[in-house]
Amino acid sequence: MMSSNVAVIPSLNAPDITTYGSRDEGQVISYRDALLWTMREALRKHDSVMIVGQGVDDHKGIFGSTVGLVQEFGADRVMDTPLAEEGMTGVAIGAALNGLYPIQTHIRADFSLLAMNQIINLAAKYKYMFGGRYDVPMLIRMIVGRSWGQGAQHSQSLQSLFAHIPGLKVVMPSSSQTILETYPAVIEAYRGPVISFEHRLMYDLQFHVDASWIGTTRDPFGSRLVRQGKDATIVATSIMVLEAMRAAGHLEKVAGIQCEVIDLHCVSHPDWDLVMHSVEKTGRLVVADTSWREYGVCAEVCRVVAERNPGCLQKPVVTLGMQPAPCPTAKCLEDLFYPDLRKFVDALATLVIGNPGHGVSLPDTQSMADVYKRFKGPF
Amino acid sequence: MTDAQRFRELFYQALRIRLVEERIIALYPSDVIQSPVHLSIGQEAVAVGACQELEKTDLIFCTYRSHAFYLAKGGNLKEMFAELYGKVTGCARGKAGSMHLTAPEVGLMGSSAVVASTIPHAVGAALAAKHLGKDQVVMAVFGDGATEEGVYHESLNFAVLHRLPVLFLCENNGLAVHSSQSARQRYAILEHARSYGLSAQHIADGYDLENVADTISGLVRRVRQIREPVFVEIRTYRYKEHVGPGEDFHCGYRQREEWWSWKQRDPLEQHPDLRDMMQPSIIKEIDEAVEFARASPFPPEEELLRDVV
Ligand SMILES: Cc1ncc(C[n+]2csc(CCOP(=O)(O)OP(=O)(O)O)c2C)c(N)n1
Ligand SMILES: [Mg+2]
């Protein structure tokens, strides 16, 4: 199970990343291996599970998350597909309607745009439009390709397009633990279409996990309180949860500022009570998402706070996300395009202390990619 | 069953579909049906023929033009009218209307209003059948226009690649809305299908009740036996406007003469004696279904957010 890849343990920088993992137990597993483990378990446990996607059976196996499975379970269950995103999504829907549980992969979330018709017009509609008479149990794994010059068409984080649509559940696992808590439970018991955005930059990361997760009743779609604090609430998604933990760790160390961090996890159906409870406690809110802020998770969190209890905010909300442009490839521009740790810490310190000249020292590291990634391509 | 008995059976089913749709036309001005209707009048023989050899456990995936297939596959008439009326007793609790009829209890799966979008579902259902060892035949029903969509190509390719038990049934009425086939296509549907290695058959006269039924039944048996995809294209003719209850020969995109020449061969016009004999009991059945729909309640408010996920 253990990966021989670079062991960058984010908890070195963010001591509390393993809030629900026990570091003493010492079990460490990479995001990639957590994925591979859940895929293998799904195939092993359920005869109805089939993994379908371009390259799921090749030697690279979706960045290692399906590698070796075709040898173990055969090409009928770990199925390479033609380059036909819409058609294959339709095939997966038809298969789900007739007794299978398809797990479909898109090696870049960008490619799922060719399957929008099937996902939005069909998968999301089948149950409701036909009066509840059908279920479409399936998991669509999409990888956010951010990293190393992937550019405008290989790096997009498209969760808000899907989360906008009633009938879909959209999750964004932020750690090995959330993968282990989410995928097996969803595959076992949830009967609708689920879209999961996995983040490429996390594949190589090692996470502490709590082995006792097996068989727990934790809601696979629940949002998670991953750090407690009284001064500000950070609502984050995917890899921004790690970034939030790093920022929070830094601020605690250098300025004694205590940030609460919520991993939204299921961006289509977040636990709004958890979010509101925290914002009402801290009075300050930062939303950090992996995508554009406009009409996305950032906008949605603001909508809900504005509707439920705007008076609880002591300060205007701060949002962090990608700059409103397609993603550039030049490293210097890419670094500006994504919010980095310095900006994150600066924004938090300004918010909590109340003015831009807060005097809190900023961390040396800038880009999240610099810290998390040893990878130098090519894919 | 003798040939005469068989003909009467096919005739009865086709007449029932026609009378149901004629009732829809009669009801339409009263606005009890508040949903677009795509009528199959003129095309009944295709749906009837397609379903003769199918079992309830065999699956069909259709389009927005699916009244005929719904009835031919055995869908409940009362639930159909209730659905058109937007009643909670409808086949989809009043959330589907005419374009999304469904009857999973008899294998009439989802009908979609997005052209070509259920073709891959039939292929996927066939993949599941193969994988799970089910003895099903799955049928994908679509129009000539649907063959222009990319997903159609993707679906044929995958079905042949994996040798899946699907019957692709192209109901060719020569029109997509108001556009003729020649204005849209630079390929021949049959030749194109064959280029995938599909065995593909053409039925030139979609008004020949017995030949349509015999041919498609033979193909269904074949798919069941060899468990590979097969293709059939049936030439037929739509009498009414693309959507709605009226006629539109005055609009200039097609000629009334064309309709007239098809009508000369319309089986339901050829046998007034049979029609007179069968009509009363069908009308009674329709009356009861319409009354059921009328008397049924509309969906209560809690239905609005029920079954979303
Ligand atoms: C993807 C898509 N494009 C366009 C339309 C609008 N539209 C509805 S029916 C239709 C014609 C389809 O023709 P055909 O497949 O031959 O079926 P027919 O209506 O003749 O039965 C079109 C273009 C649609 N519903 N879906
Ligand atoms: Mg047509």
Side-chain angles (χ1 to χ4, degrees):
Chain A
M1 241 11 270
M2 298 310 293
S3 165
S4 58
N5 286 298
V6 203
V8 181
I9 301 175
S11 53
L12 294 178
N13 288 321
D16 295 324
I17 191 66
T18 53
T19 297
Y20 37 70
S22 161
R23 241 191 300 170
D24 301 338
E25 306 285 305
Q27 191 172 353
V28 172
I29 178 172
S30 71
Y31 196 80
R32 163 189 294 114
D33 285 341
L35 289 166
L36 180 58
W37 188 87
T38 57
M39 292 299 104
R40 182 183 287 116
E41 279 301 289
L43 288 163
R44 205 177 54 74
K45 266 192 168 169
H46 311 283
D47 289 341
S48 60
V49 165
M50 180 182 275
I51 300 180
V52 287
Q54 293 166 28
V56 293
D57 64 342
D58 70 19
H59 58 288
K60 292 194 174 175
I62 313 296
F63 301 129
S65 68
T66 62
V67 92
L69 297 180
V70 71
Q71 287 78 5
E72 200 172 336
F73 298 97
D76 285 349
R77 299 191 64 200
V78 183
M79 186 183 275
D80 188 23
T81 73
L83 316 188
E85 287 77 10
E86 175 176 11
M88 287 315 303
T89 306
V91 166
I93 291 169
L97 289 168
N98 201 19
L100 292 185
Y101 188 98
I103 299 175
Q104 198 185 15
T105 59
H106 292 286
I107 194 120
R108 293 288 186 288
D110 315 63
F111 308 153
S112 74
L113 291 172
L114 279 80
M116 280 305 227
N117 177 45
Q118 287 295 329
I119 297 173
I120 294 180
N121 278 330
L122 285 306
K125 306 293 189 280
Y126 242 94
K127 188 174 181 77
Y128 188 89
M129 187 166 84
F130 298 116
R133 303 187 72 176
Y134 297 99
D135 289 317
V136 187
M138 62 191 287
L139 173 64
I140 307 179
R141 295 175 46 202
M142 306 187 177
I143 297 163
V144 178
R146 173 183 174 184
S147 65
W148 197 71
Q150 291 292 308
Q153 299 175 329
H154 272 50
S155 65
Q156 292 174 94
S157 192
L158 299 171
Q159 62 270 24
S160 64
L161 298 189
F162 298 97
H164 183 62
I165 304 298
L168 300 175
K169 293 256 192 188
V170 183
V171 297
M172 300 190 79
S174 65
S175 63
S176 302
Q177 184 82 24
T178 47
I179 291 164
L180 298 175
E181 287 173 353
T182 305
Y183 285 11
V186 159
I187 294 163
E188 171 109 25
Y190 183 66
R191 303 290 299 153
V194 175
I195 296 172
S196 180
F197 283 87
E198 300 164 5
H199 203 293
R200 177 67 185 92
L201 282 185
M202 285 193 281
Y203 267 61
D204 298 299
L205 300 188
Q206 305 287 343
F207 291 85
H208 288 283
V209 295
D210 180 355
S212 68
W213 62 272
I214 299 170
T216 59
T217 54
R218 187 191 269 275
D219 174 6
F221 299 115
S223 301
R224 281 118 164 107
L225 182 68
V226 290
R227 190 185 209 276
Q228 293 192 335
K230 60 173 178 41
D231 296 322
T233 299
I234 308 172
V235 172
T237 59
S238 183
I239 199 165
M240 293 306 278
V241 175
L242 301 194
E243 197 71 332
M245 294 300 280
R246 293 173 67 212
H250 178 84
L251 281 170
E252 164 124 67
K253 199 165 74 191
V254 304
I257 293 172
Q258 293 176 23
C259 296
E260 187 142 302
V261 179
I262 292 173
D263 174 4
L264 216 49
H265 185 54
C266 182
V267 296
S268 61
H269 298 75
D271 182 345
W272 290 123
D273 290 340
L274 183 71
V275 172
M276 289 311 302
H277 185 76
S278 176
V279 180
E280 281 159 2
K281 180 177 75 178
T282 64
R284 299 184 185 89
L285 173 62
V286 172
V287 190
D289 184 34
T290 54
S291 191
W292 293 289
R293 296 173 302 166
E294 295 78 1
Y295 295 94
V297 172
C298 291
E300 179 64 359
V301 174
C302 290
R303 175 185 75 85
V304 171
V305 174
E307 284 183 357
R308 292 205 180 188
N309 188 2
C312 76
L313 289 171
Q314 293 165 24
K315 290 282 167 56
V317 179
V318 174
T319 58
L320 294 169
M322 306 188 304
Q323 290 298 306
C327 179
T329 50
K331 186 78 169 68
C332 57
L333 294 179
E334 201 186 43
D335 284 346
L336 295 171
F337 177 75
Y338 293 110
D340 64 21
L341 185 61
R342 290 170 69 92
K343 277 189 202 141
F344 207 143
V345 170
D346 190 30
L348 274 166
T350 306
L351 180 68
V352 173
I353 291 167
N355 70 69
H358 49 69
V360 173
S361 74
L362 301 179
D364 298 335
T365 36
Q366 291 185 354
S367 167
M368 198 153 61
D370 286 341
V371 176
Y372 289 129
K373 202 160 65 80
R374 299 290 178 269
F375 180 77
K376 291 282 180 268
F379 282 96
Chain B
M1 208 189 294
T2 66
D3 286 353
Q5 281 171 330
R6 176 164 166 81
F7 180 78
R8 286 166 65 122
E9 176 58 31
L10 298 172
F11 185 94
Y12 176 86
Q13 291 181 30
L15 179 63
R16 181 166 172 264
I17 293 166
R18 170 112 11 135
L19 293 175
V20 166
E21 291 206 317
E22 285 178 349
R23 178 63 63 91
I24 290 170
I25 293 172
L27 289 165
Y28 220 63
S30 69
D31 215 23
V32 285
I33 299 173
Q34 297 180 334
S35 156
V37 288
H38 300 75
L39 302 181
S40 292
I41 292 182
Q43 306 185 183
E44 297 91 340
V46 178
V48 170
C51 295
Q52 292 311 304
E53 191 65 25
L54 293 178
E55 307 290 337
K56 279 184 182 171
T57 47
D58 294 328
L59 308 179
I60 294 198
F61 290 83
C62 298
T63 72
Y64 47 88
R65 196 181 302 286
S66 65
H67 299 166
F69 282 90
Y70 175 92
L71 292 171
K73 189 74 166 64
N76 181 296
L77 183 63
K78 288 181 175 167
E79 290 180 10
M80 173 177 161
F81 268 106
E83 190 58 43
L84 298 183
Y85 272 58
K87 298 298 180 75
V88 73
T89 52
C91 62
R93 309 182 71 83
K95 291 168 177 174
S98 160
M99 295 199 287
H100 310 298
L101 293 182
T102 190
E105 71 280 7
V106 292
L108 192 285
M109 305 296 280
S111 326
S112 169
V114 178
V115 169
S117 61
T118 58
I119 302 172
H121 301 178
V123 175
L127 177 69
K130 178 181 175 184
H131 191 79
L132 300 170
K134 299 186 188 184
D135 176 38
Q136 290 165 311
V137 171
V138 188
M139 192 181 282
V141 177
F142 50 89
D144 48 299
T147 68
E148 292 149 33
E149 297 284 359
V151 73
Y152 164 77
H153 157 82
E154 298 178 3
S155 301
L156 295 191
N157 178 50
F158 190 81
V160 180
L161 189 67
H162 287 279
R163 308 176 65 157
L164 303 177
V166 193
L167 181 58
F168 293 101
L169 187 148
C170 178
E171 191 177 30
N172 184 350
N173 58 15
L175 289 170
V177 192
H178 309 131
S179 306
S180 71
Q181 207 182 341
S182 61
R184 295 178 281 117
Q185 295 178 7
R186 284 296 288 151
Y187 54 90
I189 289 177
L190 222 59
E191 292 315 308
H192 175 253
R194 285 185 183 133
S195 74
Y196 293 90
L198 266 171
S199 137
Q201 196 151 339
H202 186 62
I203 302 176
D205 183 3
Y207 277 23
D208 182 338
L209 270 173
E210 286 161 298
N211 185 47
V212 170
D214 290 347
T215 307
I216 302 178
S217 295
L219 296 177
V220 169
R221 282 192 294 272
R222 176 134 178 254
V223 174
R224 204 183 301 287
Q225 199 193 346
I226 64 172
R227 313 228 41 90
E228 281 185 24
V230 167
F231 189 100
V232 62
E233 177 193 12
I234 306 114
R235 192 66 174 84
T236 184
Y237 191 75
R238 185 187 90 211
Y239 283 11
K240 302 296 173 186
E241 55 188 334
H242 167 68
V243 55
E247 287 178 353
D248 61 356
F249 299 105
H250 60 286
C251 296
Y253 73 91
R254 58 175 175 168
Q255 303 305 315
R256 191 178 286 275
E257 293 71 42
E258 202 184 356
W259 165 68
W260 187 248
S261 77
W262 280 94
K263 200 167 153 68
Q264 299 308 304
R265 292 181 284 122
D266 184 341
L268 298 177
E269 302 271 348
Q270 307 302 308
H271 305 275
D273 50 327
L274 271 184
R275 189 175 171 130
D276 289 348
M277 195 184 73
M278 294 175 178
Q279 193 153 318
S281 72
I282 298 175
I283 294 288
K284 181 160 174 286
E285 187 197 2
I286 294 173
D287 286 343
E288 286 168 10
V290 170
E291 175 53 23
F292 172 81
R294 193 200 59 74
S296 290
F298 286 109
E301 201 178 321
E302 61 264 26
E303 281 292 327
L304 180 64
L305 297 181
R306 184 178 150 155
D307 294 325
V308 176
V309 287

